[in-house]
Amino acid sequence: AIGRKIIIDDFDDPYLPLPLRLFNAIGAICPSRFPDVDSLLAMATKRSGGLTNFGSDFMEPLSVLVHSLQNESPLSAFGRFLQKESIVGCLVARLHLEELYRLHPEIEEE
């Protein structure tokens, strides 16, 4: 069934493929909270190979997003996983960009 489209037409009780149902079932048995900001920053630092300069002006929006994901959104286990991976991926990209700016300050002059 590779390439088969998944169409969700019932948002109250959507059909999910077996791997997603299993992932969510395990997540329901072992529920976890969405990671806090410090944990997300630590994951990004580790994945970037130890970079630590995230730059500035992002902590408040990141904190608001994480608070919302922790307290306001009823995410499934797979939803939590996807959101965590998305945020950590963006933070890793930010770390690499800040490192690039540090190594090549002439970039900002262009």
Side-chain angles (χ1 to χ4, degrees):
I2 294 177
R4 192 181 103 206
K5 287 184 179 180
I6 297 174
I7 299 172
I8 299 176
D9 57 2
D10 182 358
F11 290 100
D12 289 330
D13 188 25
Y15 167 79
L16 296 174
L18 180 61
L20 285 180
R21 290 195 315 263
L22 291 173
F23 193 96
N24 286 332
I26 292 168
I29 294 170
C30 309
S32 65
R33 247 177 94 79
F34 195 82
D36 62 16
V37 171
D38 290 336
S39 297
L40 294 167
L41 295 174
M43 287 179 225
T45 295
K46 183 176 180 181
R47 288 188 195 174
S48 71
L51 297 174
T52 57
N53 179 14
F54 288 93
S56 59
D57 298 330
F58 77 100
M59 283 299 289
E60 183 179 354
L62 178 62
S63 296
V64 170
L65 173 62
V66 169
H67 180 270
S68 176
L69 290 168
Q70 288 175 330
N71 299 298
E72 299 169 9
S73 56
L75 294 173
S76 65
F78 193 67
R80 285 190 304 274
F81 171 78
L82 288 178
Q83 288 300 316
K84 177 189 65 119
E85 291 301 311
S86 176
I87 292 169
V88 171
C90 289
L91 290 170
V92 169
R94 185 179 181 97
L95 284 166
H96 285 290
L97 260 168
E98 290 297 327
E99 181 67 5
L100 184 65
Y101 285 143
R102 185 186 71 77
L103 295 173
H104 301 282
E106 67 274 12
I107 291 172
E108 292 193 50
E109 295 172 10
E110 293 182 15

